[in-house]
Amino acid sequence: MAGMGSAKYTELGAFLRSRRDRIRPADVGLPSGPRRRVPGLRRDEVAQLAGASVDYYNELERGAGSQPSEQMIAALARALRLTADERDYLYRLADRPVPAPGSAASHVHPGMLDLLQRMPSTPAQVITDLHVTLVQNPLAVALLGDHSRFRGPRAGFVHRWFTEADARRLYPEADHAVQSRAFVADLRAAAARRDARDVEVTSMIRSLLDTSPEFAALWADHDVAFRRDDRKRIRHPALGVLEVNCLNLFSEDGRQRLLWFTPAVGTDSAERLELLAVLGTQDVVDSAP
């Protein structure tokens, strides 16, 4: 990676310090403590929230060290609760291209991040309207698998659902047909809400029509319906089949939604979901948002 040392990187360090100073620990779910020497977050706390080493983050604030990756910039923007304009500014200071809307590095509304932070005992994640996972809490990773590895068209779960057999392993096979129809209807609703010239959604639809006969047949039915509140069964490698309610909170523009999973009433899923925190992240092939 290129070394840092230009005026831009000096400004990057100063900008990170200024954003860190304005955040109270309680804003990001950290204890305030009686003997804090700084008004905002400490450097080690930002590093923890962003998944970086303390030494690396210290180098960034000094305007030194290596050029941060796009993934690290996205993690810092979320840790510091940056607005969309601030996030874009951070990318430019780091000489990285600003991610396209809907990508895995998309800006997440600080309000949704705040809600996600306040749900530590419930599996929850923020996804786009094309089912690209933007951020997950630890219990969502434990239940559904880590989505941070997916890039390009594969970042969208709908795309993987119709093009990769492994993507379906988290749902019982008996539920696949129902889920396929629901995903297609949801995608049609999302496409209608976007501009007709939106490249991201039109390229996804074109690719799926070309590669998946199942998708093409369902698309021809013209069903349309946003996925809101679902009751679904999820296959977990250690806990077996869990029956859960999947609840949604949509952003104002409909481009993002906060999903959280609660045990279905009348099942034993509540007791088994409590084991997620003990089991931690499992070798889950994919998720079913």
Side-chain angles (χ1 to χ4, degrees), residues 1-6 9 55-68:
M1 283 189 177
M4 294 178 65
S6 70
Y9 295 148
D55 288 343
Y56 179 72
Y57 182 75
N58 286 340
E59 290 289 294
L60 287 180
E61 282 208 2
R62 288 176 48 223
S66 59
Q67 181 187 24

Side-chain angles (χ1 to χ4, degrees), residues 7-266:
K8 268 190 173 183
Y9 295 148
T10 300
E11 168 59 19
L12 182 146
F15 183 66
L16 288 175
R17 287 193 299 276
S18 71
R19 302 305 90 179
R20 173 169 62 84
D21 288 345
R22 72 179 183 176
I23 298 179
R24 297 173 302 171
D27 293 338
V28 292
L30 295 174
S32 296
R35 297 181 179 178
R36 298 188 66 88
R37 297 180 180 179
V38 294
L41 298 180
R42 299 191 302 264
R43 292 185 181 91
D44 63 296
E45 291 171 332
V46 177
Q48 174 189 341
L49 291 169
S53 72
V54 177
D55 288 343
Y56 179 72
Y57 182 75
N58 286 340
E59 290 289 294
L60 287 180
E61 282 208 2
R62 288 176 48 223
S66 59
Q67 181 187 24
S69 67
E70 294 174 44
Q71 291 78 20
M72 178 53 61
I73 293 295
L76 289 169
R78 291 166 186 170
L80 295 169
R81 300 298 193 264
L82 301 187
T83 66
D85 290 339
E86 290 171 336
R87 190 284 309 256
D88 292 354
Y89 181 61
L90 192 61
Y91 271 92
R92 294 186 176 103
L93 289 177
D95 285 328
R96 294 292 188 183
V98 176
S103 71
S106 286
H107 176 261
V108 182
H109 191 286
M112 283 200 168
L113 280 176
D114 181 61
L115 286 172
L116 186 71
Q117 188 70 48
R118 295 174 187 275
M119 304 172 76
S121 61
T122 302
Q125 59 187 18
V126 179
I127 68 171
T128 73
D129 55 345
L130 301 186
H131 294 256
V132 174
T133 301
L134 302 179
V135 61
Q136 299 171 283
N137 69 9
L139 286 183
V141 174
L143 176 64
L144 306 170
D146 184 358
H147 288 187
S148 61
R149 67 189 185 277
F150 296 113
R151 296 291 182 270
R154 297 187 68 231
F157 182 77
V158 174
H159 190 278
R160 299 197 303 277
W161 177 261
F162 287 103
T163 60
E164 302 177 23
D166 280 350
R168 303 194 172 201
R169 287 175 56 182
L170 213 65
Y171 282 140
E173 186 174 356
D175 299 346
H176 289 182
V178 171
Q179 297 301 330
S180 291
R181 185 169 292 279
F183 279 128
V184 173
D186 186 80
L187 178 60
R188 186 178 288 279
R193 196 163 190 166
R194 293 191 177 206
D195 188 282
R197 296 167 294 181
D198 186 285
V199 175
E200 184 187 16
V201 69
T202 56
S203 63
M204 174 183 281
I205 293 169
R206 189 182 309 113
S207 172
L208 290 175
L209 287 172
D210 290 341
T211 59
S212 171
E214 179 191 15
F215 177 86
L218 291 171
W219 190 256
D221 288 341
H222 295 274
D223 291 341
V224 55
F226 278 116
R227 299 196 78 159
R228 291 186 172 87
D229 299 342
D230 277 345
R231 181 161 171 161
K232 59 179 64 175
R233 297 188 298 166
I234 294 176
R235 293 175 61 233
H236 188 275
L239 300 177
V241 177
L242 301 168
E243 194 160 353
V244 298
N245 298 311
C246 180
L247 308 173
N248 293 255
L249 175 66
F250 289 78
S251 62
E252 288 186 9
D253 63 2
R255 291 289 190 102
Q256 294 181 10
R257 61 187 79 171
L258 172 66
L259 306 182
W260 68 99
F261 301 85
T262 63
V265 176

